[in-house]
Amino acid sequence: MSILLRTDCLTKKFGELVAVNDVTMSIKSEGILSIIGPNGAGKTTFFNLITGYLKPNNGKIYFLGENITYIPPFKLVHKGLSRSFQIASYFPDFTVLENIQLGVLNHAGYGFKYLKNINSIKGINDKSEHFVELLELKDEKNLKAKYLSHGDKKLLDIAMSLTLEPKILLLDEPTSGVSGEARNRVIKFIEKLSKSLKVVVIEHDMDIVFSISDRIVVLAEGKILADGNREEIKDNKKVKESYLGEEEIK
């Protein structure tokens, strides 16, 4: 199992606050990695660092062996590093299909203006339809995105990240605000994706974390508190004391 991404002594400060504190971590090519921890643990800041939205005060980031520490986000996505955000990002007045088409056009090197002439660009429609089918939103493909359910908006956001054909997909709280059957659909979609690419998830719902994760990293006060498989994290005394508590996790 090869290493896709690693950080060496990664540190980010905001004034006197050390949000990420000397984090050294390797992310391997297979399975679902969940990053958990209490609010303020540095999880989203860590995501922002490795995807180029923030620059570290110290440390290095390597992706496929290349130092990417100071490479901006728009270049990183074309190298195969893509992410979603806590708040779903999409174009509300465009249809589901048009949102997907924009992502496919971008990955192919075309600007948004080419959407009007998309039928003349070979392969764009076929790829776009593929992602719509992957989402299981074929019946809604001509519906404006703003009319989708909250869960389907989350799925659309993830799918737009997929149009960039990433090697690693980072998902920041993908089930936030989603409940019931819609939440189950998001979870199943993530599990499906993990069969073909590396998925790294920030998640607060421990039932989800312990059901889908192959590896779990626990952050606390910007540092790695624990790193292991599901059973190792469940049984870790420090993790129970600082985060999980004594409640049984199924």
Side-chain angles (χ1 to χ4, degrees):
M1 191 184 302
S2 61
I3 294 175
L4 291 179
L5 187 145
R6 66 182 174 91
T7 66
D8 290 340
C9 304
L10 200 63
T11 299
K12 180 61 182 179
K13 299 178 181 178
F14 298 99
E16 297 298 317
L17 173 66
V18 184
V20 173
N21 192 350
D22 198 33
V23 170
T24 295
M25 183 192 304
S26 294
I27 297 177
K28 297 182 179 180
S29 57
E30 296 179 5
I32 297 176
L33 165 63
S34 289
I35 298 178
I36 67 173
N39 290 331
K43 304 181 297 295
T44 296
T45 300
F46 181 72
F47 263 28
N48 287 336
L49 287 168
I50 62 179
T51 52
Y53 288 90
L54 290 174
K55 302 306 177 190
N57 296 97
N58 188 51
K60 301 293 182 183
I61 307 162
Y62 297 90
F63 181 53
L64 298 174
E66 178 186 358
N67 187 340
I68 62 166
T69 309
Y70 298 107
I71 295 178
F74 72 92
K75 291 186 177 180
L76 287 179
V77 295
H78 291 290
K79 290 181 178 291
L81 189 59
S82 187
R83 69 170 293 181
S84 71
F85 294 85
Q86 291 180 22
I87 299 175
S89 179
Y90 56 90
F91 296 92
D93 288 314
F94 284 16
T95 67
V96 170
L97 180 60
E98 288 170 339
N99 270 276
I100 296 296
Q101 287 172 331
L102 287 174
V104 175
L105 281 169
N106 182 39
H107 182 65
Y110 297 96
F112 290 175
K113 66 181 180 180
Y114 287 90
L115 188 61
K116 292 181 179 180
N117 302 314
I118 197 166
N119 291 326
S120 65
I121 305 174
K122 185 178 180 180
I124 299 297
N125 277 328
D126 288 342
K127 282 189 176 182
S128 300
E129 292 285 354
H130 163 73
F131 286 112
V132 169
E133 290 193 12
L134 187 66
L135 278 172
E136 299 181 2
L137 288 178
K138 193 172 182 179
D139 292 340
E140 294 87 0
K141 71 177 185 179
N142 294 317
L143 183 69
K144 287 187 177 181
K146 63 184 178 183
Y147 297 125
L148 291 174
S149 69
H150 185 59
D152 285 342
K153 288 174 181 176
K154 286 278 191 175
L155 289 174
L156 178 58
D157 181 37
I158 296 172
M160 290 181 69
S161 299
L162 288 176
T163 62
L164 301 169
E165 300 182 14
K167 296 179 177 65
I168 297 182
L169 179 62
L170 300 101
L171 305 177
D172 194 349
E173 298 191 36
T175 65
S176 175
V178 184
S179 60
E181 181 56 34
R183 187 179 75 160
N184 292 334
R185 286 188 63 204
V186 174
I187 294 167
K188 288 178 182 179
F189 189 55
I190 292 170
E191 290 179 314
K192 182 195 298 186
L193 296 180
S194 71
K195 307 299 181 185
S196 58
L197 77 159
K198 181 67 180 185
V199 180
V200 184
V201 180
I202 292 175
E203 181 57 64
H204 284 287
D205 188 315
M206 291 300 101
D207 288 337
I208 294 175
V209 169
F210 285 103
S211 68
I212 69 172
S213 306
D214 300 288
R215 175 187 172 200
I216 301 169
V217 172
V218 185
L219 292 181
E221 297 180 349
K223 296 182 178 181
I224 295 178
L225 178 66
D227 184 347
N229 60 36
R230 284 174 277 191
E231 294 305 318
E232 290 169 336
I233 298 301
K234 283 181 186 179
D235 296 335
N236 188 294
K237 186 176 180 180
K238 289 183 179 179
V239 174
K240 284 184 177 181
E241 289 175 349
S242 67
Y243 184 49
L244 295 181
E246 297 299 329
E247 181 180 353
E248 181 70 20
I249 302 294
K250 297 180 181 181

